[in-house]
Amino acid sequence: MAFINENFLDLKENYLFIDIAKKIKAYQAENPDKALIRMGIGDVTLPIAPVVAEAMKKGAEEMTHKETFKGYEDSGRGYEFLREAVAGYYRSFGAEVDPGEILISDGAKSDCGNIVDIFGENNIVLITDPAYPVYVDSNTMSGKDIIYASSNEENGFAAMPDDSVDCDIIYLCSPNNPTGSVYTKEQLEKWVAYAKSKSAIIIFDSAYEAFIRDETLPRSIFCIEGARDCAIEICSLSKTAGFTGMRCGYTVIPKELTAYDTDGEPVNVFKLWCRRQGSKFNGVSYPVQCAAAAVFTPEGLAETRKNIDYYMENARIMSETCDELGIKYTGGKNSPYIWLKCPNNMGSWDFFDYLLKEIRVVGTPGEGFGPNGKGWFRLTAFGSKENTIEAMSRLKKLLK
Amino acid sequence: MAFINENFLDLKENYLFIDIAKKIKAYQAENPDKALIRMGIGDVTLPIAPVVAEAMKKGAEEMTHKETFKGYEDSGRGYEFLREAVAGYYRSFGAEVDPGEILISDGAKSDCGNIVDIFGENNIVLITDPAYPVYVDSNTMSGKDIIYASSNEENGFAAMPDDSVDCDIIYLCSPNNPTGSVYTKEQLEKWVAYAKSKSAIIIFDSAYEAFIRDETLPRSIFCIEGARDCAIEICSLSKTAGFTGMRCGYTVIPKELTAYDTDGEPVNVFKLWCRRQGSKFNGVSYPVQCAAAAVFTPEGLAETRKNIDYYMENARIMSETCDELGIKYTGGKNSPYIWLKCPNNMGSWDFFDYLLKEIRVVGTPGEGFGPNGKGWFRLTAFGSKENTIEAMSRLKKLLK
């Protein structure tokens, strides 16, 4: 008799965004004539840069000629040209990462979800609350014990470590999804010191690093001294370069990083991950890798920067509106997310329904990201400027 | 202290093809002037069809315009246009599959490796010996008990079920990698009956279905009555359309398929897999899906057929050589693999070294696929015709 993995029964029935999609579908079925402004799911809306598409077309063309055709990648870790480009990008903001430590993936979600495979069930996993649901779901699926570090109004939704709490694996995301908070260098130094004191490993999600404008804020965990001994970084081109539909990301595992077997013997984490990927992954599409490499060319970076500027202008408009309305929020400065306190002590899902019905704006209920999100709400800056202005104008009318 | 998944310690140190790559590298370092003929790893060499590349280019172009830009896919299961195309393809060889049951992936290896996530550790997994190493490795990594069904010279390297053996999950691959054997309809009917008698699930790997020329041989497990109650099928465009570097495959899970919790309560497998993918995967690159859909157009199918004909001609040349030399083998008729008995009672790795040194031909030692592969050897038809002829001519000189 084929048995299921019963850890799946501990998962909530549906993924947050599926719940939201259902509510939207039901609303639209009842109100077919009313257009919605979507500020919920963190999906980009600006097209990819032409230089990026051209690189993909060139890659596709190469695939049609015997001399330039590419089959399986030898390593499945990504082509050297792309790993070199990513290493150069890291260097541009002060993080030294060897191309050999960079593994190209089909997106941060895959690596983030699959990384649990290499860690045992006997780990205590520390996740900030609220957090991107994949951290909790992937660890629940693999039967690990999860504890939470509280991100809350008092600490600006940027949880800090507590030395009295033991843990083995730590998930951090900065700039944070969903709260938009960004850890300072000093804060990350504390996390690194804490992780090292516990021989724990930090899984650092830097998917939103490109939105950091304040140059004193670290764009990578590897900007922090000592992080190479205790951290894995997972990043993506999804938000940096509009790759949500193109699918490419990268994970950095320093070659000296170790985890332990139950006898306390050190095991190399990079090798463990390569073994996992060697058996369960066959690399990223060659033309996609060509496109990704083009993101890091001067032209690609300039185009990409323009798109991020556009989104950050939306974030500014949203922040300004919250300021005007006296709504408390985090994010919006070095992050595409605005994390706001629902007005009039409304619950997250009540506020979701309220905005949907009254002003046809879709956001994301904070409690979908964890208990500490109760009464909070996430808006994204990834829409069009026109829609952002219109949504904020409706919000002002509604709440003034 | 971060603990590793100790199941990884039960894996062999290296993946088969990495071992081979090392031996080749060492040989080449010592013999830099000698060119090798590679008939080892199952990678294609013919370029992709122009119509496929054009579709990808069009997809890439669409990504650069706001009106046609694609971000995240709603479901992450693949675009309707591609799932419809795959369903049509299935229909062409007599398998009825609903597009809603087809999930598009970045390749068969990913789905094949990740499917273990949804099944509990308490399953007994039946794998044919020899087999594609991913079945064993992925189940070892997730701590499942593995038993083997013997494929051997006596049964034509096509293991059949034994009613006295209990198991919960069954891996079958037809046409088989590495042995090239193909199950008949009657044989698959026996497997389906066996699986149903055990309430087991068959994971059917049909990656080589496009090489079947004998129309009486089933190209899908879903050509078999009753398979919808007990089977998952995993397929790929890698071999069908030269997608080893493009990365696209598909998995079919009938919506009525159930597995069980430990209380014997049925749980829907399709939903379980969607939950897994919803948390750990974000769909396949849109331009890659455009390319994949083009494979199933009349022009795409015609181009693809030409390439497969080319490889099958290689297989014919290889079969003929084996016949001439009196070497026993399976495969080569409805499969791109020739699975041959090493002459003079040589061991697999000895024969590997012998061919490498004496005639500079690289194959794959059979024992890399399991104990029953000892003394057997895999050659692939994926090289060029010139190289295949040259390799066979050298083999004849060497062994005559």
Side-chain angles (χ1 to χ4, degrees):
Chain A
M1 183 179 275
F3 293 108
I4 64 158
N5 172 354
E6 296 204 343
N7 295 317
F8 275 67
L9 302 177
D10 297 332
L11 293 165
K12 280 197 260 170
E13 173 71 17
N14 266 314
Y15 191 58
L16 169 64
F17 295 107
I18 297 173
D19 288 339
I20 293 173
K22 278 184 189 162
K23 276 185 177 264
I24 292 173
K25 208 172 168 185
Y27 178 84
Q28 286 182 320
E30 281 176 37
N31 305 275
D33 53 324
K34 289 181 182 164
L36 297 174
I37 299 180
R38 291 166 185 267
M39 307 174 87
I41 195 165
D43 198 0
V44 297
T45 54
L46 292 176
I48 62 167
V51 63
V52 170
E54 287 311 314
M56 177 173 242
K57 290 180 199 172
K58 191 166 168 287
E61 180 62 29
E62 286 177 43
M63 295 297 263
T64 67
H65 302 281
K66 209 170 160 112
E67 305 69 37
T68 49
F69 172 77
K70 302 279 187 301
Y72 290 127
E73 239 189 273
D74 273 351
S75 71
R77 298 176 200 167
Y79 283 98
E80 191 69 19
F81 68 81
L82 178 52
R83 290 191 280 119
E84 291 278 0
V86 173
Y89 182 62
Y90 267 101
R91 215 171 297 124
S92 75
F93 48 78
E96 272 303 327
V97 167
D98 188 87
E101 302 173 323
I102 297 166
L103 300 113
I104 305 303
S105 75
D106 64 320
K109 192 179 186 183
S110 301
D111 279 3
C112 193
N114 292 332
I115 196 88
V116 298
D117 281 10
I118 63 170
F119 297 110
E121 284 189 28
N122 48 342
N123 287 288
I124 297 171
V125 177
L126 181 76
I127 298 177
T128 60
D129 167 21
Y132 177 46
V134 170
Y135 311 151
V136 173
D137 286 355
S138 59
N139 280 288
T140 302
M141 286 175 186
S142 68
K144 294 176 179 63
D145 287 328
I146 300 171
I147 59 173
Y148 295 93
S150 178
S151 292
N152 51 45
E153 198 171 341
E154 288 66 45
N155 60 27
F157 282 97
M160 291 302 296
D162 174 350
D163 287 329
S164 72
V165 172
D166 280 333
C167 73
D168 309 302
I169 294 172
I170 301 158
Y171 283 78
L172 298 178
C173 175
S174 177
N176 192 266
N177 174 15
T179 76
S181 66
V182 188
Y183 282 121
T184 63
K185 190 160 178 284
E186 293 67 34
Q187 287 176 318
L188 286 184
E189 281 167 352
K190 281 183 190 159
W191 274 111
V192 165
Y194 169 74
K196 290 179 85 160
S197 77
K198 307 288 180 189
S199 298
I201 288 178
I202 295 171
I203 296 172
F204 192 79
D205 179 346
S206 63
Y208 300 92
E209 55 77 23
F211 293 85
I212 292 179
R213 289 301 157 86
D214 177 343
E215 291 188 0
T216 68
L217 295 172
R219 286 173 64 177
S220 162
I221 191 72
F222 299 117
C223 294
I224 307 300
E225 214 182 304
R228 291 184 59 85
D229 300 327
C230 67
I232 290 170
E233 182 159 295
I234 296 176
C235 196
S236 164
L237 291 177
S238 286
K239 310 304 157 75
T240 306
F243 264 48
T244 51
M246 292 283 277
R247 312 304 314 137
C248 196
Y250 44 92
T251 288
V252 180
I253 305 185
K255 290 220 171 144
E256 59 264 49
L257 186 69
T258 50
Y260 299 87
D261 68 15
T262 43
D263 295 329
E265 289 296 315
V267 180
N268 185 280
V269 175
F270 178 83
K271 282 187 190 163
L272 213 57
W273 179 243
C274 288
R275 190 66 176 81
R276 191 268 172 213
Q277 295 292 80
S279 288
K280 296 180 152 204
F281 184 62
N282 239 335
V284 173
S285 181
Y286 172 70
V288 173
Q289 292 196 53
C290 295
V295 168
F296 299 108
T297 60
E299 201 182 338
L301 288 169
E303 285 289 335
T304 292
R305 181 78 181 187
K306 258 194 268 172
N307 287 0
I308 290 178
D309 284 345
Y310 179 96
Y311 294 135
M312 290 312 284
E313 170 63 8
N314 289 345
R316 196 196 56 75
I317 293 164
M318 292 154 70
S319 304
E320 206 175 71
T321 304
C322 289
D323 287 337
E324 260 186 73
L325 291 168
I327 293 175
K328 285 187 185 166
Y329 67 96
T330 53
K333 305 287 190 273
N334 295 285
S335 150
Y337 293 125
I338 300 267
W339 176 253
L340 58 90
K341 192 170 190 171
C342 302
N344 309 318
N345 291 317
M346 282 178 103
S348 295
W349 280 105
D350 291 338
F351 191 59
F352 175 89
D353 291 333
Y354 183 62
L355 291 194
L356 179 61
K357 276 179 202 154
E358 299 298 326
I359 60 171
R360 301 183 301 288
V361 168
V362 178
T364 309
E367 68 183 277
F369 299 99
N372 274 5
K374 269 187 192 167
W376 291 73
F377 201 75
R378 192 190 75 172
L379 289 177
T380 89
F382 290 123
S384 71
K385 186 172 179 181
E386 300 70 41
N387 277 349
T388 305
I389 290 172
E390 175 61 23
M392 291 303 106
S393 140
R394 290 185 199 168
L395 190 69
K396 277 190 234 175
K397 271 187 213 150
L398 183 71
L399 296 179
K400 251 182 183 164
Chain B
M1 183 180 275
F3 293 105
I4 64 158
N5 172 354
E6 297 204 343
N7 294 318
F8 274 67
L9 302 178
D10 296 332
L11 293 166
K12 280 198 262 169
E13 172 72 18
N14 267 312
Y15 191 60
L16 170 64
F17 295 107
I18 298 173
D19 288 339
I20 293 174
K22 278 184 189 161
K23 277 187 176 263
I24 293 174
K25 208 172 167 184
Y27 178 84
Q28 287 184 319
E30 279 174 37
N31 305 276
D33 52 326
K34 290 183 181 160
L36 297 175
I37 298 181
R38 290 165 186 269
M39 308 176 86
I41 194 166
D43 197 359
V44 296
T45 54
L46 291 176
I48 62 169
V51 63
V52 170
E54 287 311 313
M56 177 174 241
K57 290 179 197 172
K58 191 165 166 288
E61 180 62 29
E62 286 177 43
M63 295 298 262
T64 67
H65 302 280
K66 208 172 161 114
E67 304 70 35
T68 49
F69 173 76
K70 302 280 185 302
Y72 290 126
E73 241 189 271
D74 272 351
S75 71
R77 297 176 201 167
Y79 283 97
E80 191 67 19
F81 67 82
L82 178 52
R83 288 190 281 121
E84 291 280 1
V86 173
Y89 181 62
Y90 267 100
R91 214 171 298 124
S92 75
F93 48 77
E96 272 303 323
V97 168
D98 189 87
E101 302 173 322
I102 297 166
L103 301 114
I104 305 302
S105 75
D106 64 321
K109 192 179 186 181
S110 302
D111 280 3
C112 192
N114 292 332
I115 196 87
V116 299
D117 281 10
I118 64 170
F119 296 110
E121 284 188 30
N122 48 341
N123 287 288
I124 297 171
V125 178
L126 181 76
I127 298 176
T128 59
D129 167 21
Y132 177 46
V134 169
Y135 312 151
V136 173
D137 286 357
S138 59
N139 279 289
T140 302
M141 286 175 186
S142 68
K144 294 176 180 63
D145 286 328
I146 300 171
I147 59 173
Y148 295 92
S150 178
S151 292
N152 51 46
E153 199 172 341
E154 288 67 45
N155 60 27
F157 283 98
M160 289 304 295
D162 174 349
D163 287 331
S164 72
V165 172
D166 280 334
C167 74
D168 310 301
I169 295 172
I170 300 159
Y171 283 77
L172 297 178
C173 175
S174 177
N176 191 266
N177 174 15
T179 74
S181 66
V182 187
Y183 282 121
T184 63
K185 190 158 176 283
E186 293 66 36
Q187 287 176 317
L188 286 182
E189 281 167 353
K190 282 184 189 159
W191 273 111
V192 165
Y194 169 74
K196 291 178 85 159
S197 77
K198 306 288 180 190
S199 297
I201 288 178
I202 295 171
I203 296 172
F204 192 80
D205 180 346
S206 64
Y208 300 92
E209 56 76 22
F211 294 86
I212 291 179
R213 288 301 157 86
D214 177 344
E215 290 188 0
T216 68
L217 296 171
R219 286 174 63 177
S220 162
I221 190 73
F222 299 117
C223 294
I224 308 301
E225 214 183 305
R228 291 184 60 85
D229 301 326
C230 66
I232 291 169
E233 181 159 296
I234 297 176
C235 197
S236 164
L237 292 177
S238 285
K239 309 303 157 74
T240 307
F243 265 48
T244 50
M246 292 284 277
R247 312 303 315 136
C248 196
Y250 44 92
T251 288
V252 180
I253 305 185
K255 290 221 171 141
E256 58 264 46
L257 186 68
T258 49
Y260 299 88
D261 68 14
T262 43
D263 296 330
E265 289 297 315
V267 179
N268 186 279
V269 175
F270 179 83
K271 281 188 191 163
L272 214 57
W273 178 243
C274 288
R275 190 67 175 81
R276 191 270 173 212
Q277 294 294 78
S279 288
K280 296 181 153 203
F281 184 62
N282 240 334
V284 173
S285 181
Y286 172 70
V288 172
Q289 292 195 54
C290 296
V295 168
F296 301 107
T297 59
E299 200 182 340
L301 287 169
E303 286 287 336
T304 292
R305 182 78 182 186
K306 257 193 270 173
N307 288 359
I308 290 177
D309 284 345
Y310 179 96
Y311 295 135
M312 291 310 284
E313 170 62 8
N314 289 345
R316 195 196 56 75
I317 294 164
M318 291 154 70
S319 304
E320 208 175 69
T321 305
C322 288
D323 287 335
E324 261 186 72
L325 291 169
I327 293 175
K328 285 188 184 165
Y329 67 97
T330 53
K333 305 287 189 272
N334 295 284
S335 149
Y337 294 123
I338 300 266
W339 177 253
L340 58 91
K341 192 169 189 174
C342 302
N344 309 320
N345 290 316
M346 282 178 101
S348 295
W349 280 105
D350 291 337
F351 192 59
F352 175 90
D353 291 333
Y354 183 63
L355 291 194
L356 179 61
K357 276 180 202 153
E358 299 298 326
I359 60 171
R360 300 182 304 286
V361 168
V362 179
T364 310
E367 67 182 277
F369 300 99
N372 275 5
K374 271 188 191 163
W376 291 73
F377 201 74
R378 192 189 75 173
L379 289 177
T380 89
F382 291 123
S384 70
K385 186 172 177 181
E386 300 70 40
N387 277 348
T388 304
I389 291 173
E390 174 63 21
M392 290 303 106
S393 141
R394 290 185 200 169
L395 190 68
K396 278 189 235 175
K397 271 187 216 154
L398 184 69
L399 296 178
K400 253 184 183 163

Short mmCIF file of all heavy atoms in Angstrom, two decimals, chain A residues 368-398:
data_model
loop_
_atom_site.label_atom_id
_atom_site.label_comp_id
_atom_site.label_asym_id
_atom_site.label_seq_id
_atom_site.Cartn_x
_atom_site.Cartn_y
_atom_site.Cartn_z
N GLY A 368 -1.37 35.65 6.71
CA GLY A 368 -0.96 34.57 5.80
C GLY A 368 0.52 34.27 5.92
O GLY A 368 0.98 33.22 5.49
N PHE A 369 1.28 35.19 6.52
CA PHE A 369 2.73 35.00 6.66
C PHE A 369 3.11 34.57 8.07
O PHE A 369 4.29 34.48 8.40
CB PHE A 369 3.46 36.30 6.30
CG PHE A 369 3.23 36.76 4.89
CD1 PHE A 369 2.30 37.76 4.61
CD2 PHE A 369 3.93 36.19 3.83
CE1 PHE A 369 2.08 38.19 3.31
CE2 PHE A 369 3.72 36.62 2.53
CZ PHE A 369 2.78 37.62 2.26
N GLY A 370 2.11 34.34 8.92
CA GLY A 370 2.41 33.91 10.30
C GLY A 370 1.58 34.69 11.29
O GLY A 370 1.06 35.76 10.97
N PRO A 371 1.46 34.15 12.52
CA PRO A 371 0.61 34.76 13.54
C PRO A 371 0.92 36.23 13.81
O PRO A 371 0.02 37.03 14.04
CB PRO A 371 0.90 33.91 14.79
CG PRO A 371 1.37 32.60 14.26
CD PRO A 371 2.07 32.88 12.98
N ASN A 372 2.22 36.60 13.77
CA ASN A 372 2.56 38.00 14.03
C ASN A 372 2.08 38.94 12.94
O ASN A 372 2.14 40.16 13.10
CB ASN A 372 4.08 38.15 14.18
CG ASN A 372 4.53 37.89 15.60
OD1 ASN A 372 3.73 37.48 16.44
ND2 ASN A 372 5.81 38.09 15.87
N GLY A 373 1.60 38.37 11.85
CA GLY A 373 1.06 39.21 10.78
C GLY A 373 -0.40 39.58 11.01
O GLY A 373 -0.98 40.35 10.25
N LYS A 374 -0.97 39.04 12.08
CA LYS A 374 -2.38 39.36 12.38
C LYS A 374 -2.57 40.85 12.55
O LYS A 374 -1.87 41.50 13.33
CB LYS A 374 -2.82 38.65 13.67
CG LYS A 374 -3.39 37.29 13.39
CD LYS A 374 -3.99 36.65 14.62
CE LYS A 374 -4.27 35.18 14.32
NZ LYS A 374 -4.57 34.39 15.49
N GLY A 375 -3.51 41.40 11.83
CA GLY A 375 -3.77 42.83 11.93
C GLY A 375 -2.84 43.66 11.05
O GLY A 375 -2.89 44.89 11.07
N TRP A 376 -2.00 42.98 10.27
CA TRP A 376 -1.10 43.68 9.34
C TRP A 376 -1.42 43.25 7.91
O TRP A 376 -2.12 42.27 7.68
CB TRP A 376 0.36 43.44 9.71
CG TRP A 376 0.72 44.12 11.00
CD1 TRP A 376 0.34 43.74 12.26
CD2 TRP A 376 1.46 45.33 11.15
NE1 TRP A 376 0.82 44.63 13.18
CE2 TRP A 376 1.52 45.62 12.54
CE3 TRP A 376 2.11 46.22 10.27
CZ2 TRP A 376 2.18 46.73 13.05
CZ3 TRP A 376 2.78 47.32 10.78
CH2 TRP A 376 2.80 47.58 12.15
N PHE A 377 -0.85 43.98 6.97
CA PHE A 377 -1.26 43.82 5.58
C PHE A 377 -0.09 44.18 4.67
O PHE A 377 0.64 45.14 4.94
CB PHE A 377 -2.44 44.77 5.32
CG PHE A 377 -3.29 44.41 4.14
CD1 PHE A 377 -4.18 43.34 4.21
CD2 PHE A 377 -3.22 45.15 2.96
CE1 PHE A 377 -4.99 43.01 3.12
CE2 PHE A 377 -4.02 44.80 1.87
CZ PHE A 377 -4.91 43.74 1.96
N ARG A 378 0.11 43.40 3.60
CA ARG A 378 1.22 43.68 2.69
C ARG A 378 0.72 44.24 1.36
O ARG A 378 -0.18 43.69 0.75
CB ARG A 378 2.01 42.40 2.42
CG ARG A 378 3.35 42.67 1.72
CD ARG A 378 4.01 41.37 1.26
NE ARG A 378 3.35 40.84 0.07
CZ ARG A 378 3.80 39.81 -0.64
NH1 ARG A 378 4.89 39.17 -0.28
NH2 ARG A 378 3.13 39.39 -1.70
N LEU A 379 1.32 45.36 0.95
CA LEU A 379 1.06 45.88 -0.39
C LEU A 379 2.38 45.87 -1.16
O LEU A 379 3.44 46.11 -0.59
CB LEU A 379 0.53 47.32 -0.31
CG LEU A 379 -0.89 47.50 0.23
CD1 LEU A 379 -1.22 48.98 0.33
CD2 LEU A 379 -1.92 46.78 -0.65
N THR A 380 2.30 45.58 -2.44
CA THR A 380 3.54 45.54 -3.23
C THR A 380 3.60 46.73 -4.19
O THR A 380 2.57 47.26 -4.62
CB THR A 380 3.70 44.24 -4.04
OG1 THR A 380 3.09 44.41 -5.33
CG2 THR A 380 3.08 43.05 -3.33
N ALA A 381 4.83 47.08 -4.51
CA ALA A 381 5.08 48.23 -5.39
C ALA A 381 5.25 47.78 -6.84
O ALA A 381 5.70 48.55 -7.68
CB ALA A 381 6.33 48.95 -4.91
N PHE A 382 4.88 46.54 -7.14
CA PHE A 382 5.16 45.98 -8.46
C PHE A 382 4.11 46.29 -9.53
O PHE A 382 4.19 45.79 -10.65
CB PHE A 382 5.34 44.45 -8.36
CG PHE A 382 6.59 44.04 -7.65
CD1 PHE A 382 6.54 43.22 -6.54
CD2 PHE A 382 7.83 44.47 -8.11
CE1 PHE A 382 7.69 42.82 -5.88
CE2 PHE A 382 9.00 44.07 -7.46
CZ PHE A 382 8.93 43.26 -6.34
N GLY A 383 3.10 47.09 -9.17
CA GLY A 383 2.09 47.45 -10.16
C GLY A 383 2.55 48.59 -11.05
O GLY A 383 3.71 48.99 -11.02
N SER A 384 1.63 49.09 -11.85
CA SER A 384 1.96 50.26 -12.66
C SER A 384 1.84 51.51 -11.81
O SER A 384 1.15 51.53 -10.79
CB SER A 384 1.01 50.35 -13.85
OG SER A 384 -0.29 50.72 -13.40
N LYS A 385 2.50 52.56 -12.23
CA LYS A 385 2.44 53.82 -11.49
C LYS A 385 1.00 54.33 -11.46
O LYS A 385 0.51 54.78 -10.42
CB LYS A 385 3.37 54.85 -12.16
CG LYS A 385 3.47 56.15 -11.36
CD LYS A 385 4.53 57.08 -11.91
CE LYS A 385 4.54 58.36 -11.07
NZ LYS A 385 5.53 59.32 -11.59
N GLU A 386 0.33 54.24 -12.60
CA GLU A 386 -1.06 54.72 -12.69
C GLU A 386 -1.95 53.99 -11.68
O GLU A 386 -2.72 54.60 -10.95
CB GLU A 386 -1.63 54.49 -14.10
CG GLU A 386 -0.88 55.19 -15.22
CD GLU A 386 0.51 54.60 -15.49
OE1 GLU A 386 0.67 53.36 -15.47
OE2 GLU A 386 1.46 55.40 -15.68
N ASN A 387 -1.84 52.69 -11.66
CA ASN A 387 -2.64 51.89 -10.73
C ASN A 387 -2.28 52.19 -9.28
O ASN A 387 -3.16 52.23 -8.41
CB ASN A 387 -2.45 50.40 -10.99
CG ASN A 387 -3.35 49.91 -12.13
OD1 ASN A 387 -4.24 50.64 -12.57
ND2 ASN A 387 -3.11 48.71 -12.59
N THR A 388 -1.00 52.38 -9.03
CA THR A 388 -0.57 52.67 -7.66
C THR A 388 -1.17 54.00 -7.20
O THR A 388 -1.73 54.12 -6.10
CB THR A 388 0.97 52.72 -7.57
OG1 THR A 388 1.49 51.48 -8.08
CG2 THR A 388 1.43 52.93 -6.15
N ILE A 389 -1.10 55.01 -8.07
CA ILE A 389 -1.67 56.32 -7.74
C ILE A 389 -3.18 56.20 -7.53
O ILE A 389 -3.73 56.71 -6.54
CB ILE A 389 -1.35 57.35 -8.86
CG1 ILE A 389 0.15 57.67 -8.84
CG2 ILE A 389 -2.19 58.61 -8.70
CD1 ILE A 389 0.62 58.52 -10.01
N GLU A 390 -3.83 55.48 -8.41
CA GLU A 390 -5.29 55.31 -8.33
C GLU A 390 -5.67 54.56 -7.03
O GLU A 390 -6.60 54.98 -6.32
CB GLU A 390 -5.79 54.54 -9.56
CG GLU A 390 -7.27 54.18 -9.56
CD GLU A 390 -8.21 55.39 -9.52
OE1 GLU A 390 -7.78 56.48 -9.93
OE2 GLU A 390 -9.36 55.22 -9.05
N ALA A 391 -4.94 53.50 -6.73
CA ALA A 391 -5.24 52.72 -5.52
C ALA A 391 -5.05 53.58 -4.28
O ALA A 391 -5.87 53.53 -3.35
CB ALA A 391 -4.35 51.49 -5.47
N MET A 392 -3.98 54.37 -4.25
CA MET A 392 -3.71 55.20 -3.07
C MET A 392 -4.74 56.31 -2.94
O MET A 392 -5.16 56.67 -1.83
CB MET A 392 -2.29 55.78 -3.14
CG MET A 392 -1.19 54.73 -2.97
SD MET A 392 -1.30 53.77 -1.41
CE MET A 392 -1.89 52.19 -1.99
N SER A 393 -5.19 56.81 -4.09
CA SER A 393 -6.21 57.85 -4.05
C SER A 393 -7.53 57.27 -3.50
O SER A 393 -8.21 57.87 -2.67
CB SER A 393 -6.35 58.45 -5.45
OG SER A 393 -7.68 58.71 -5.76
N ARG A 394 -7.86 56.04 -3.93
CA ARG A 394 -9.07 55.39 -3.41
C ARG A 394 -8.93 55.10 -1.91
O ARG A 394 -9.87 55.24 -1.14
CB ARG A 394 -9.31 54.06 -4.14
CG ARG A 394 -9.73 54.23 -5.57
CD ARG A 394 -10.07 52.86 -6.17
NE ARG A 394 -10.06 52.87 -7.62
CZ ARG A 394 -10.08 51.80 -8.39
NH1 ARG A 394 -10.13 50.59 -7.82
NH2 ARG A 394 -10.07 51.88 -9.70
N LEU A 395 -7.72 54.70 -1.52
CA LEU A 395 -7.49 54.38 -0.12
C LEU A 395 -7.67 55.62 0.75
O LEU A 395 -8.26 55.56 1.84
CB LEU A 395 -6.06 53.82 0.05
CG LEU A 395 -5.73 53.20 1.41
CD1 LEU A 395 -6.50 51.89 1.63
CD2 LEU A 395 -4.22 52.91 1.54
N LYS A 396 -7.16 56.74 0.24
CA LYS A 396 -7.30 58.00 0.98
C LYS A 396 -8.76 58.35 1.17
O LYS A 396 -9.20 58.70 2.26
CB LYS A 396 -6.58 59.13 0.24
CG LYS A 396 -5.08 59.16 0.54
CD LYS A 396 -4.45 60.43 -0.02
CE LYS A 396 -3.29 60.07 -0.91
NZ LYS A 396 -2.70 61.25 -1.59
N LYS A 397 -9.54 58.25 0.10
CA LYS A 397 -10.98 58.57 0.18
C LYS A 397 -11.68 57.64 1.17
O LYS A 397 -12.52 58.06 1.96
CB LYS A 397 -11.64 58.40 -1.20
CG LYS A 397 -11.58 59.66 -2.04
CD LYS A 397 -12.40 59.49 -3.32
CE LYS A 397 -11.76 60.28 -4.45
NZ LYS A 397 -11.98 59.69 -5.76
N LEU A 398 -11.29 56.39 1.13
CA LEU A 398 -11.95 55.38 1.96
C LEU A 398 -11.66 55.58 3.45
O LEU A 398 -12.54 55.42 4.30
CB LEU A 398 -11.47 53.98 1.54
CG LEU A 398 -12.09 52.78 2.25
CD1 LEU A 398 -13.55 52.59 1.82
CD2 LEU A 398 -11.31 51.50 1.95
#
